[in-house]
Amino acid sequence: MEETISLRELFAVLRKRLWLIVLITIIAATVSGVISFFVLTPVYESKTQILVNQAKNDQQLYNTQTVQTNVQLINTYNDIITSPAILDKVVKELKLDASAQSLSGQIQVTSAQDSQVAQIVVQDTSAKRAAQIANTTASVFQKQVPKLMNVDNVKVLSKATVGESASPSPIKPQPLLNIAIAVVVGLMVGIGLSFLLEYLDNTLKTEQDIENILELPVIGVVTNIKDVPKPSNVSRPDVAARVPQRGETYGS
């Protein structure tokens, strides 16, 4: 016979193992909070913008073909910015204890579709160093483009800055988000473990368990009697048995 589980039984299992679910959730949230606040190193982000646009004289008109050419050049510039040709000079100028390859992992170049503006985004464990890397990368790239591409069409729109009045906020880790994720994961693990323990538990605890397994009605139940009064050892004097002496009978 195929077994079916009702919603009432599911809620009964959850209520029975509620302490386990709550415990796992609290442990997961606590561990996530401790790791986020005290273990993980904060990472800061800094951005600088560059404009790809060829200089024009009075006789040159603004046309769509020129803009499209500049937009297509951005894809090429993205690869050049993160190449050793640029980053080796950035490492040397800032005297960084890193290689061009490792620095390339910290830099991301993004641009909106059909836009002549590109962003150089740098992530580092130091907010000040992230701004220096972003600004130096843009400056070195602007100087090297005429040598590499024989064009001078890059300008720095905005430089990366670090606020002096307030402490910069790291982009990661995000403790509240991590704790929220840990709570959800803890609930899922707790609920799954509760159903697993219930599935592995094959002991009979109630009359309903016997009826479900044997498919027979329960005729009688032997209950445990608690607080049974102990028999008194004090005998009454008038009914106490007397051992007969020699020559006496029980009737005398």
Side-chain angles (χ1 to χ4, degrees):
M1 182 177 180
E2 185 179 357
E3 295 183 358
T4 59
I5 301 177
S6 63
L7 290 177
R8 181 176 298 179
E9 292 175 341
L10 293 178
F11 284 114
V13 173
L14 296 179
R15 184 173 56 188
K16 177 182 177 181
R17 308 282 183 179
L18 182 61
W19 64 272
L20 179 63
I21 299 174
V22 174
L23 179 62
I24 293 178
T25 303
I26 293 176
I27 292 176
T30 303
V31 172
S32 176
V34 171
I35 293 177
S36 298
F37 283 106
F38 302 106
V39 177
L40 297 179
T41 303
V43 176
Y44 301 89
E45 186 177 84
S46 191
K47 301 177 182 178
T48 184
Q49 290 182 324
I50 58 174
L51 173 65
V52 179
N53 187 25
Q54 295 181 2
K56 296 184 173 54
N57 50 37
D58 296 337
Q59 298 177 352
Q60 204 171 11
L61 298 178
Y62 185 86
N63 57 71
T64 306
Q65 185 177 359
T66 303
V67 174
Q68 189 64 29
T69 302
N70 293 330
V71 171
Q72 293 175 355
L73 280 175
I74 289 181
N75 296 327
T76 304
Y77 289 168
N78 291 350
D79 296 331
I80 296 176
I81 291 174
T82 56
S83 67
I86 303 298
L87 297 185
D88 280 338
K89 293 179 173 56
V90 174
V91 171
K92 183 178 180 180
E93 185 171 338
L94 294 178
K95 298 179 180 179
L96 299 176
D97 187 15
S99 62
Q101 184 177 2
S102 62
L103 184 60
S104 175
Q106 299 178 234
I107 300 176
Q108 182 181 6
V109 183
T110 62
S111 60
Q113 186 177 5
D114 298 332
S115 174
Q116 296 178 252
V117 178
Q119 280 190 338
I120 301 176
V121 184
V122 179
Q123 294 184 358
D124 195 87
T125 54
S126 171
K128 182 179 180 180
R129 187 166 57 240
Q132 291 176 344
I133 293 174
N135 292 330
T136 305
T137 301
S139 176
V140 171
F141 175 67
Q142 185 181 17
K143 294 177 183 178
Q144 295 298 318
V145 161
K147 301 177 182 179
L148 297 174
M149 300 288 294
N150 295 323
V151 291
D152 186 8
N153 62 345
V154 175
K155 295 181 180 179
V156 178
L157 284 182
S158 62
K159 293 185 178 182
T161 58
V162 180
E164 299 179 355
S165 58
S167 177
S169 300
I171 60 168
K172 57 183 179 181
Q174 299 179 355
L176 296 181
L177 178 61
N178 293 343
I179 292 175
I181 295 175
V183 169
V184 175
V185 174
L187 287 173
M188 295 174 61
V189 173
I191 293 174
L193 185 59
S194 298
F195 285 115
L196 178 61
L197 292 176
E198 188 68 20
Y199 176 77
L200 296 177
D201 187 6
N202 56 3
T203 59
L204 302 177
K205 296 182 176 63
T206 62
E207 299 87 354
Q208 187 66 32
D209 295 339
I210 299 176
E211 292 183 355
N212 293 336
I213 294 177
L214 300 180
E215 299 182 1
L216 295 174
V218 177
I219 299 177
V221 178
V222 179
T223 61
N224 293 327
I225 302 176
K226 299 180 180 180
D227 300 330
V228 178
K230 297 181 180 179
S232 178
N233 294 328
V234 180
S235 58
R236 295 174 56 183
D238 54 343
V239 297
R242 185 172 65 87
V243 178
Q245 302 295 327
R246 179 178 295 179
E248 293 181 346
T249 61
Y250 282 98
S252 57

